[in-house]
Amino acid sequence: MATIVSSIDIARPQDEVFAYVTDPSRFTKWQTGVVGGSMEGGKTPSVGSKCITTRRIGGAEREVTSEVTTLDPPRRWAIHGIDGPIRAIVNVTVGPHNGGAQSRVMIELDFEGHGIGKLLVPFLVRRQARKEMPSNCLRLKQRLEATTSP
């Protein structure tokens, strides 16, 4: 299956946008279904760090752990799910746009299914993610552009 790719231009500096989009404690403000997020132990992220995200799935809250696989501020950040039946693979790229007056955010999203997840990923998860990504990106843009300090 093809990776889901969404991008959006945001009228904020690259370093500010990168810090916001890669901060799990802010995922609740722009990602559908996320009710909590943090770096394990409150640590500063580094490659190998664990990112904990709590999502509302099917009426229940489920905690998912991902590992940071790429960290190159303010340009690239990637995580890979390490537990549960549905494991997300997320690559975020933030680059300067329009002479640095804006930032272009590109989010690439894919999934691995394990156990029952092998059935859910192609028939439910991908479809839902394709539907949510454009609105998530729009909320990200609105949130960042609406404030002077996100």
Side-chain angles (χ1 to χ4, degrees):
M1 288 275 172
T3 299
I4 300 164
V5 180
S6 290
S7 66
I8 195 156
D9 294 339
I10 300 174
R12 302 296 288 184
Q14 179 183 11
D15 58 339
E16 218 174 272
V17 172
F18 182 86
Y20 193 91
V21 76
T22 62
D23 180 351
S25 71
R26 293 182 167 160
F27 290 175
T28 60
K29 298 177 192 244
W30 63 277
Q31 291 185 32
T32 302
V34 175
V35 296
S38 64
M39 293 305 296
E40 186 177 59
K43 298 177 184 174
T44 302
S46 61
V47 172
S49 295
K50 305 298 186 274
C51 174
I52 313 298
T53 306
T54 304
R55 294 185 174 274
R56 184 171 312 280
I57 301 170
E61 291 184 7
R62 303 196 191 281
E63 194 173 272
V64 178
T65 305
S66 299
E67 182 175 329
V68 176
T69 58
T70 302
L71 182 60
D72 182 20
R75 292 176 289 283
R76 294 188 61 230
W77 180 80
I79 59 171
H80 188 269
I82 60 172
D83 64 3
I86 300 165
R87 301 177 191 183
I89 303 158
V90 183
N91 292 290
V92 175
T93 304
V94 181
H97 183 63
N98 196 17
Q102 296 180 319
S103 299
R104 178 162 287 161
V105 177
M106 183 172 65
I107 302 172
E108 300 171 80
L109 177 62
D110 205 352
F111 299 95
E112 290 179 347
H114 295 263
I116 189 70
K118 287 182 181 181
L119 296 174
L120 296 174
V121 166
F123 298 110
L124 180 64
V125 175
R126 283 186 196 283
R127 184 174 349 139
Q128 188 66 31
R130 277 190 214 293
K131 179 180 164 189
E132 290 176 1
M133 284 299 291
S135 58
N136 285 348
C137 286
L138 184 57
R139 273 194 304 281
L140 175 66
K141 176 182 177 72
Q142 291 169 338
R143 183 75 180 176
L144 279 163
E145 290 182 354
T147 62
T148 56
S149 158

